[in-house]
Amino acid sequence: MQERYTTTAIVFHWLIALLIVATFSLGLVMTDIPGLTPTKLKYFSWHKWAGVTILALAALRLLWRLNSRVPAYPSSMPPWQRSAASGLHGLLYLLMFAVPLSGYFYTLSAGVPVVYFGLLKLPVLIDANPALKPVLKEVHYWLNMSMLAAVALHVAAALKHQLIDRDGVLKRMLP
Ligand code: HEM
C-alpha cells in the first residue's frame, strides 16, 4: 500500500486546480465579448478576484510545501521520469505565481486599481504605463498558454500512471 498525500495537500491541489480552470475559461470568454458591456466588466472583476485568490492560495500552498514531506515516487519509476515529474511540479508552482502576478501588473499598468471583492483596494505597486500595458497583456497571455501546456502534460502523466503503469500514483492525490 502506497503512502497517500495528506488532506491538506489534497484540498490545496483540487481547490487551486478548480479555480485555475474556472479563471482560465472566464479569461477566454470575457475577452471574446465585443465592446464594453456591463456583463464584460462584471466578468473582468470576477476574473481578477478569482486570480488574486489563486495567488493567495499559491503562497499558502508554497509555505505548506516547503515545510512538509510528500510521498516518495514509486520504486518502479525510472530516474528520468522522477526528474521530469519534479521539474514539471516546479514549473507549475512558478506559473501559479507568474500567471496571476502578470494579470495584476497588467491591470495596474492600465491605470486600474484591483479592488478585491469590491471591498479591499490592493497595493498599487506601479503607475499607469501605456507603453508597458500591451507588453504585460502579451506576457499574461503567453504565460497562460505555457500553463495550459504544463497542465496538459501533468494530466497526461497522471493518466499514464493510472492506465498504463497502474502504480497507484493518481489515487494518492484523490480525496
Ligand atoms: C491563475 C490565475 C489567472 C488565470 C488562469 C488567468 C487567465 C487569463 C486568460 C486565459 C485570459 C485571456 C487572455 C486573452 O485571450 O487575451 C486573461 C485575461 C485577462 N486577465 Fe487573467 N488570469 C489569471 C489571473 C489574473 C489576475 C490576478 C488579474 C488581475 C488582477 C488578471 C487580469 C486579466 C485581464 C485584465 C485580462 C484581459 C486582457 C485584455 O485586456 O484583453 N488575470 N486571463
Side-chain angles (χ1 to χ4, degrees):
M1 183 63 185
Q2 274 203 50
E3 195 189 348
R4 290 175 53 76
Y5 278 93
T6 59
T7 305
T8 312
I10 295 174
V11 169
F12 269 134
H13 180 273
W14 293 107
L15 183 61
I16 292 177
L18 197 78
L19 280 171
I20 287 180
V21 170
T23 310
F24 184 93
S25 312
L26 186 58
L28 295 184
V29 169
M30 71 187 195
T31 47
D32 253 13
I33 300 175
L36 209 60
T37 64
T39 306
K40 183 170 182 171
L41 291 176
K42 187 171 73 183
Y43 287 174
F44 265 60
S45 295
W46 290 356
H47 178 83
K48 292 173 189 174
W49 301 339
V52 169
T53 306
I54 292 169
L55 183 61
L57 286 171
L60 292 176
R61 184 176 183 181
L62 182 64
L63 277 178
W64 158 82
R65 181 67 176 76
L66 294 174
N67 290 293
S68 18
R69 278 188 54 248
V70 293
Y73 294 125
S75 49
S76 53
M77 240 173 107
W80 75 266
Q81 275 185 22
R82 292 161 190 252
S83 309
S86 300
L88 188 57
H89 296 159
L91 179 65
L92 286 165
Y93 269 99
L94 195 75
L95 289 168
M96 270 190 285
F97 287 91
V99 170
L101 280 174
S102 62
Y104 189 78
F105 281 99
Y106 164 62
T107 302
L108 294 181
S109 73
V112 181
V114 180
V115 187
Y116 194 48
F117 288 103
L119 296 171
L120 178 69
K121 186 175 170 189
L122 299 180
V124 178
L125 299 169
I126 53 168
D127 293 331
N129 187 332
L132 194 60
K133 185 183 156 196
V135 178
L136 288 177
K137 184 175 168 175
E138 283 290 301
V139 169
H140 190 53
Y141 177 83
W142 285 108
L143 283 172
N144 266 293
M145 293 308 127
S146 311
M147 183 156 74
L148 179 64
V151 168
L153 210 57
H154 181 68
V155 172
L159 290 176
K160 175 185 173 284
H161 280 287
Q162 180 66 14
L163 303 173
I164 299 173
D165 304 333
R166 297 174 191 267
D167 55 10
V169 160
L170 176 60
K171 282 214 188 88
R172 314 192 304 179
M173 194 46 111
L174 292 181

